[in-house]
Amino acid sequence: MPHGKKAGERCIQLDQQNRCLIFGMAERPQVCSSLRPSGEMCGNSNQYAFTWLARLEQLTTP
Ligand code: SF4
């Protein structure tokens, strides 16, 4: 995403199953590579994880 990803904006690298299309590739942003998932972050559903990530984005967006 040449102009960055705004909080709440779906990344263009997500496929239909919400998997990163550039996982393990040099093009993957450093912030993504450095993020370490945890049970607290992932929960047991996509909805839980997306809600958690949305909160994180709001806390870290200026
Ligand atoms: S890990 Fe980063 S590049 Fe990959 S889908 Fe998620 S936000 Fe996009």
Side-chain angles (χ1 to χ4, degrees):
M1 302 178 79
H3 304 293
K5 188 183 95 49
K6 296 178 185 148
E9 183 178 16
R10 183 176 173 82
C11 181
I12 61 171
Q13 302 298 346
L14 282 173
D15 70 8
Q16 293 291 328
Q17 288 77 42
N18 294 321
R19 293 178 299 203
C20 178
L21 293 169
I22 57 173
F23 188 87
M25 300 172 70
E27 294 82 358
R28 191 172 181 227
Q30 176 67 35
V31 67
C32 302
S33 301
S34 64
L35 185 68
R36 295 290 168 241
S38 65
E40 178 188 9
M41 175 188 296
C42 300
N44 56 14
S45 69
N46 279 349
Q47 186 56 52
Y48 177 96
F50 278 115
T51 300
W52 200 98
L53 286 170
R55 282 197 205 115
L56 178 64
E57 286 185 325
Q58 289 171 353
L59 290 173
T60 57
T61 301

